[in-house]
Amino acid sequence: MAAMTMLAERLRAVLGPSGVIADPAAMAPYLEEQRGLFHGRAALVARPASTAETAAVVALCAEHGVAIVPQGGNTGLVGGGVPFEHGGEIVLSMGRMIRVRAIDPANFTITVEAGCVLANVRAAADEAGCLFPLSLAAEGSCQIGGNLSTNAGGVAVLRWGNARDLVLGLEVVLPDGRVWNGLKGLRKDNTGYDLKHLFVGAEGTLGVITAAVLKLFPRPRDIETALVGVADLDHVLALFARARAASGDALGAFELIPRIGLELAVAHVPGCHDPFAGPHAHYVLIEATAPREALENLLSQAIEDGLAVDAVIADSLERRRALWRLREAVPEAQKREGASIKHDVSVPVSMVPEFLRRATKAIEAALPGVRVVAFGHVGDGNIHFNLTQPVGAEPKAFLARWEEMNRIVHDIVAGMGGSFSAEHGVGRLKKGELVHYGDPVGLDLMRRVKAALDPQGIMNPGKVL
Ligand code: FAD
Ligand code: ZN
């Protein structure tokens, strides 16, 4: 306790009074993951405003042997960014490191600090006439440092890749307080191990990302969005292949919404309307950076050939947003319908229909009355295989079956060569799954990397591994 008081004093001396939060009420938002699955405690929250201050915080914690939980926008869904219940850790919040350090339109790069909110990075790129394509529903509050640390996916992976594919260089404070300057804006650089990729997706367990050089792209001229009603899951797959080909591989998004997802969205979320006259078994949201004519031809041909039943193409920005709202409202609507058990899985794209059929059948047999709401980034083979509680069920009793449902779904996924965590990471929630399904040699390598970079074990301990 005395040691922690001493550390707090030294941190205040480095960061100033506004850089340290120790008041319990003010700390509360940093201690809870937004889905409510994890409530932690912490000795304090440190809020550095520069790389030098971040390095000083980490060096002091290393000296005092106090563990650090890096935190960005705290929108993570696996409990990786919140401290444990014992209260002996500090939270290192990056929310004051929000400078855009440089934009180089000729090099198509932007250099930003880790605390920059994703939407602001996108806006800064747009102002420079460019596109930063990473996009997810949490973009108004998640931060670039968090996006890189979780290797975030989102709704534009099909065309532009994950966060990992969008980074050229990183600046990282290591667990001993040293700063690794890897802030290069190079597309070609074969000088040994690519260290930046160790920190991408590491969920804060290997160091603190303080800045990044990100790739920019020319702003696409045409963006067309359509919602398509489809009768059969195999047709979804056939439509995907056709849409890739017809758009010259310019598909930005190919997202699946099941009928129940649309129904729940329309029932619970204001501003959601079914654009079709009648119901369809499945809906696909297609976005293409291709001329409208190409999309129109694709869809009319698909309807003629029986691959699609009906389609609407957005004819204004407002209509485009309304179609996206339907997709983004699905998890929100599910929340209003009771408790949910969630799976964020991926399989090879070609196996998505088979996965959905097998997993739905197995889950419905194990838990009669459960409502499978499987939606998401079908073009990436990534399905949010979410389960809504049976009508009238006791939420606690339903949630008590989470592990059992995991095993059913994840066994099917593993049998198809898939992943039990396609985009949200491992954090605390899926550590057991990593041990269960991870390759033993791969796990051994991960533990050795962790031990090499963080021998004291102070950087987000107990997360991932
Ligand atoms: P946090 O939640 O604060 O932290 C996440 C992890 O990264 C933690 O382990 C933390 O310790 C670590 N970390 C954070 N900042 C740093 C840093 N600077 N250095 C080192 N470690 C750090 N995710 C997707 O991939 N795709 C989606 O489509 C998607 N949609 C979402 C929609 C909603 C509505 C919500 C709430 C979440 C969604 N997510 C999605 C999950 C989440 O938004 C992402 O994981 C996001 O990248 C997390 O960023 P963050 O800044 O909030 O990080
Ligand atoms: Zn997602």
Side-chain angles (χ1 to χ4, degrees):
M1 200 59 223
M4 195 58 94
T5 312
M6 164 104 79
L7 173 64
E9 262 171 38
R10 293 180 75 185
L11 287 174
R12 271 192 202 93
V14 172
L15 303 178
S18 62
V20 176
I21 303 174
D23 171 60
M27 275 204 287
Y30 299 89
L31 304 180
E32 187 177 13
E33 178 248 19
Q34 65 157 268
R35 252 204 255 167
L37 295 179
F38 300 102
H39 312 258
R41 288 171 60 227
L44 55 87
V45 177
R47 301 177 68 237
S50 67
T51 302
E53 286 188 5
T54 307
V57 170
V58 175
L60 281 172
C61 288
E63 190 186 323
H64 287 257
V66 169
I68 298 163
V69 182
Q71 190 179 93
N74 196 13
T75 69
L77 299 173
V78 291
V82 288
F84 281 95
E85 293 76 7
H86 58 69
E89 301 172 303
I90 73 150
V91 172
L92 178 56
S93 169
M94 301 306 287
R96 286 172 78 202
M97 290 198 58
I98 54 172
R99 270 192 321 135
V100 174
R101 289 193 190 164
I103 296 191
D104 184 347
N107 192 39
F108 285 94
T109 50
I110 184 169
T111 307
V112 298
E113 292 185 340
C116 282
V117 168
L118 174 56
N120 296 344
V121 177
R122 286 174 56 88
D126 192 60
E127 258 170 50
C130 293
L131 172 76
F132 180 63
L134 189 69
S135 176
L136 40 141
E139 67 193 39
S141 44
C142 64
Q143 301 174 3
I144 281 298
N147 298 145
L148 289 167
S149 298
T150 58
N151 185 26
V155 293
V157 174
L158 191 53
R159 176 82 194 276
W160 314 101
N162 294 300
R164 183 185 299 286
D165 301 306
L166 299 171
V167 62
L168 292 174
L170 285 185
E171 178 187 81
V172 179
V173 173
L174 302 175
D176 60 8
R178 283 183 302 162
V179 178
W180 172 55
N181 183 354
L183 270 185
K184 286 184 172 172
L186 303 175
R187 260 99 185 157
K188 291 191 160 181
D189 176 21
N190 288 343
T191 51
Y193 302 153
D194 199 335
L195 296 174
K196 64 177 176 288
H197 286 306
L198 272 181
F199 300 98
V200 177
E203 301 182 51
T205 61
L206 299 179
V208 185
I209 296 175
T210 48
V213 184
L214 305 170
K215 285 185 198 170
L216 299 178
F217 296 87
R219 221 168 20 197
R221 246 179 304 159
D222 315 288
I223 301 182
E224 297 294 341
T225 309
L227 191 71
V228 188
V230 182
D232 183 289
L233 278 174
D234 290 314
H235 292 170
V236 171
L237 201 61
L239 186 63
F240 175 59
R242 269 202 199 186
R244 279 192 80 166
S247 63
D249 212 11
L251 271 192
F254 194 88
E255 299 276 319
L256 179 71
I257 310 171
R259 174 67 195 166
I260 185 176
L262 190 109
E263 277 173 6
L264 292 179
V266 169
H268 291 301
V269 182
C272 285
H273 305 285
D274 185 346
F276 295 107
H280 300 291
H282 314 280
Y283 301 86
V284 177
L285 183 75
I286 299 182
E287 191 154 281
T289 51
R292 188 183 180 90
E293 210 188 327
L295 194 62
E296 279 171 355
N297 290 343
L298 164 77
L299 294 176
S300 54
Q301 192 63 51
I303 291 172
E304 205 168 293
D305 297 343
L307 287 185
V309 187
D310 203 354
V312 289
I313 302 183
D315 51 15
S316 65
L317 185 61
E318 205 176 305
R319 299 263 299 176
R320 203 180 135 211
R321 289 210 178 110
L323 294 184
W324 271 110
R325 180 107 191 96
L326 282 173
R327 159 63 183 83
E328 281 168 359
V330 176
E332 196 178 325
Q334 247 198 312
K335 206 185 261 178
R336 313 261 177 94
E337 193 67 17
S340 312
I341 294 177
K342 303 195 171 191
H343 304 94
D344 162 36
V345 301
S346 63
V347 294
V349 179
S350 52
M351 292 189 178
V352 168
E354 171 69 6
F355 162 72
L356 285 171
R357 281 191 285 261
R358 277 178 56 192
T360 302
K361 196 169 161 211
I363 287 292
E364 286 176 349
L367 213 164
V370 70
R371 290 167 290 167
V372 173
V373 186
F375 64 94
H377 323 292
V378 65
D380 309 322
N382 173 198
I383 300 292
H384 296 307
F385 193 83
N386 291 357
L387 313 177
T388 289
Q389 64 166 77
V391 178
E394 164 57 40
K396 262 202 171 142
F398 172 69
L399 289 175
R401 301 190 63 182
W402 195 311
E403 296 265 313
E404 184 195 339
M405 298 300 115
N406 267 355
R407 198 55 64 237
I408 294 173
V409 174
H410 293 166
D411 276 354
I412 295 173
V413 165
M416 293 180 158
S419 167
F420 64 83
S421 185
E423 56 175 15
H424 299 157
V426 175
R428 240 179 114 172
L429 187 65
K430 299 180 185 174
K431 268 171 63 175
E433 298 304 281
L434 183 59
V435 172
H436 190 87
Y437 293 107
D439 171 69
V441 178
L443 280 169
D444 178 55
L445 287 178
M446 283 170 70
R447 292 195 184 101
R448 284 169 190 244
V449 170
K450 170 73 176 170
L453 269 77
D454 183 19
Q456 241 186 308
I458 62 163
M459 200 52 81
N460 216 3
K463 311 290 169 56
V464 184
L465 289 170

